[in-house]
Amino acid sequence: MFTVNRRQLIQAGAGLALITGVSHSPLFAAPLGANPFTLGVAAGDPWPDGFVIWTRLAPRPLDEHGGMPAVHVPVRWEVAEDQGFTRVVRKGEAVAMPELAHSVHVEVDGLRPHRPYWYRFAVAGSDSSPVGMARTAPAADAVVDRLRIGVAGCQHYEMGFYDAWRHLAAEPDLDLIFHYGDYIYEGGATPLGPRDKGWTAVRQHVGNEIYSIDDYRRRHAQYRSDPNLQAAHAACAFAASFDDHEVDNNWASDFDQDGTDPAIFALRRFIALQAWYEHMPVRKAQFPTPAGLTAYRRLDYGRLMRMHVLDTRSYRSDQPCGDDSVKNPCPPAARMQPDMLGKAQENWLDEGLGNGATWNLLAQQIMVMPIDLRSADAREPLYATDLWDGYRPARARLIDSSRKHRLTNVVIASGDHHKHVAGTVPARDDDLDGEKIAVEFLATSITSGGNGDGVAGLEHIVRNNPQIDLYTDQRGYQLFDITPKLWRTDVKVMDRVESPGGSLKTLASYAVTPDRSKLHRS
């Protein structure tokens, strides 16, 4: 993490007075006293000329309103070409409003493409924020030699410690981190105890299951208080998405898992997504409204890659056969829910796939390729209906879109499943060894599921699924190293997460070429 202490800031020169001086705004400008930047800083959604920078003022993050008065507060910000802020290139003042939990989203523009910048915030009478770093995207027509992206998510606070984020923050030359979702979990506090004694927690949520806007804000604040997660945000820009637990387990469009009246669930979904916006470095285009928010968007990296960030929750049909495929096995004829992305997003994706980039990255939440999850001694296949397996017509249309554009360069990044999975998406469900239309890398969880058992007891999954090469129950993340000729994915695993200080290793590496949807062990 890039940080500077108070003395270094004072020594940075005359420009410092502009960020730490008393604001001339007619808004609340009295000193806040305690450090208001307890939740750190973040950047997101890089474009060639800039990115979003974020913070939230919360001197006591778990107290009511984060310990902030119910007033508008001016927040100064700076962006510099160097970590010492001797070459400040953009600066200004934003307003932290209680209506948005005193969060600040600044869409910085006017920067040069494909280079690092450093940023920070300050409030009158308080310490300056930690310093963050983010890289702008390359220019639209740029020939890009290399791009590095981290992929991570599913970070249940109670199930482990965030050392994986510490390791990801230290990865060199990262351009972006794709967070596929499950940034928070909505459940109440679980009793503390060793995980091998049953479903117990290694650290606890504050409060019960969350329903109100204050509940969701407090839960986000608790997760964001973790120093390792803050280090990752300060080290690199994020492309943030959401999955189910930011709202409620396995929610789908207007439906939650408990059969709540959709009109009532809509209230919970709206406040949950407002809290998500308040805590993510996303643009005004993702601002929540009563009709929802538009989370799907594109990020282009010159001629090398187009990244399509998808939303697989807001527009989908309800899961077939319920959302528990173990209790309610779902035959193929029933796994025909029509919509995963919704018509508008589906058309948007189809249009965007028609491009000249070397690579197309579909950055989304849940497994696309079919997967038979039957137990080792079972005779009948078992498919999870919350995945694309429950939405076969939607998957068929995705395959048709790729074929229409004659693409061989589609890579899918997924999450949610709490396993590392590497495989390919077959063109037909009944021909798993046949034509492939995409390579899929599903990144495991940061903590969800606890330490895990590796491949023990899971060897049959690969045997029953010829389209899958790797399936392992370990925590960690994935790294994409992308060049015009080769896409390399490193599968990173932790030795433990249920106690602090876990170490990291590379379990496997894969190579893909843009002319064929095929995995190669490297």
Side-chain angles (χ1 to χ4, degrees), residues 38-331:
T38 60
L39 303 183
V41 299
D45 285 12
W47 289 356
D49 67 341
F51 37 73
V52 182
I53 58 174
W54 171 94
T55 194
R56 179 190 165 196
L57 306 183
R60 296 183 302 279
L62 300 185
D63 288 358
E64 185 176 17
H65 308 308
M68 287 292 295
V71 294
H72 291 194
V73 179
V75 180
R76 310 281 283 181
W77 58 269
E78 287 183 334
V79 176
E81 292 182 336
D82 65 306
Q83 188 179 350
F85 286 82
T86 61
R87 299 191 304 276
V88 173
V89 293
R90 299 285 284 151
K91 61 185 177 182
E93 184 176 281
V95 177
M97 298 182 289
E99 294 91 338
L100 292 174
H102 291 100
S103 63
V104 174
H105 298 74
V106 179
E107 295 194 18
V108 182
D109 59 12
L111 304 181
R112 292 189 290 161
H114 206 199
R115 63 147 294 153
Y117 287 91
W118 287 261
Y119 61 93
R120 66 186 179 190
F121 299 88
V123 173
S126 301
D127 289 340
S128 294
S129 74
V131 173
M133 192 277 284
R135 298 176 186 272
T136 49
D141 60 349
V143 176
V144 182
D145 293 332
R146 188 186 186 201
L147 179 64
R148 282 173 56 82
I149 298 176
V151 182
C154 288
Q155 53 192 48
H156 199 306
Y157 186 86
E158 294 190 322
M159 289 190 179
F161 295 88
Y162 287 172
D163 289 287
W165 281 123
R166 171 174 57 86
H167 290 293
L168 187 49
E171 294 283 358
D173 302 322
L174 282 180
D175 292 275
L176 189 72
I177 293 173
F178 169 52
H179 195 297
Y180 57 71
D182 289 348
Y183 197 96
I184 63 166
Y185 281 71
E186 77 280 14
T190 305
L192 292 171
R195 296 283 325 286
D196 60 0
K197 302 300 182 183
W199 173 210
T200 55
V202 299
R203 52 183 183 171
Q204 283 184 303
H205 282 155
V206 173
N208 299 317
E209 182 166 354
I210 53 179
Y211 290 96
S212 72
I213 185 67
D214 289 336
D215 290 342
Y216 279 97
R217 286 168 171 170
R218 185 179 298 111
R219 186 62 52 83
H220 274 281
Q222 183 176 17
Y223 279 56
R224 273 197 169 272
S225 296
D226 187 283
N228 291 325
L229 178 57
Q230 289 188 18
H233 275 293
C236 181
F238 274 49
S241 186
F242 55 78
D243 194 20
D244 54 338
H245 289 289
E246 286 86 352
V247 180
D248 184 43
N249 181 53
N250 284 356
W251 71 278
S253 184
D254 296 331
F255 308 100
D256 71 358
Q257 65 174 349
D258 302 313
T260 303
D261 183 331
I264 301 299
F265 175 63
L267 301 176
R268 184 182 188 184
R269 184 183 65 215
F270 173 71
I271 61 174
L273 293 179
Q274 176 180 333
W276 176 84
Y277 171 83
E278 291 170 348
H279 292 85
M280 294 297 123
V282 292
R283 294 181 179 272
K284 293 176 183 177
Q286 281 67 62
F287 190 85
T289 71
L293 62 81
T294 303
Y296 60 89
R297 58 206 190 271
R298 294 191 189 98
L299 297 173
D300 287 328
Y301 282 81
R303 298 181 186 178
L304 181 60
M305 188 195 74
R306 168 164 282 185
M307 180 177 183
H308 314 260
V309 181
L310 305 183
D311 175 358
T312 59
R313 286 288 163 190
S314 299
Y315 313 103
R316 64 156 75 182
S317 310
D318 198 9
Q319 294 94 341
C321 310
D323 54 14
D324 190 332
S325 56
V326 176
K327 293 181 179 178
N328 303 299
C330 202

Side-chain angles (χ1 to χ4, degrees), residues 359 408-409 485-487 511-518 520:
W359 297 98
T408 58
N409 63 356
K485 293 184 178 181
L486 195 72
W487 181 300
V512 184
T513 57
D515 59 340
R516 189 179 180 191
S517 297
K518 182 178 174 61
H520 303 271

Side-chain angles (χ1 to χ4, degrees), residues 373-394:
L373 293 168
R374 78 178 90 175
S375 60
D377 57 353
R379 294 185 176 182
E380 295 298 321
L382 179 67
Y383 297 93
T385 57
D386 190 54
L387 311 182
W388 283 78
D389 264 336
Y391 299 77
R392 295 168 68 203

Side-chain angles (χ1 to χ4, degrees), residues 356-404:
T358 302
W359 297 98
N360 277 281
L361 172 59
L362 304 189
Q364 50 99 63
Q365 294 73 47
I366 56 174
M367 192 183 301
V368 176
M369 56 189 163
I371 181 169
D372 178 359
L373 293 168
R374 78 178 90 175
S375 60
D377 57 353
R379 294 185 176 182
E380 295 298 321
L382 179 67
Y383 297 93
T385 57
D386 190 54
L387 311 182
W388 283 78
D389 264 336
Y391 299 77
R392 295 168 68 203
R395 183 166 62 199
R397 293 194 300 273
L398 177 64
I399 291 169
D400 288 344
S401 178
S402 178
R403 280 174 154 176
K404 181 181 77 173

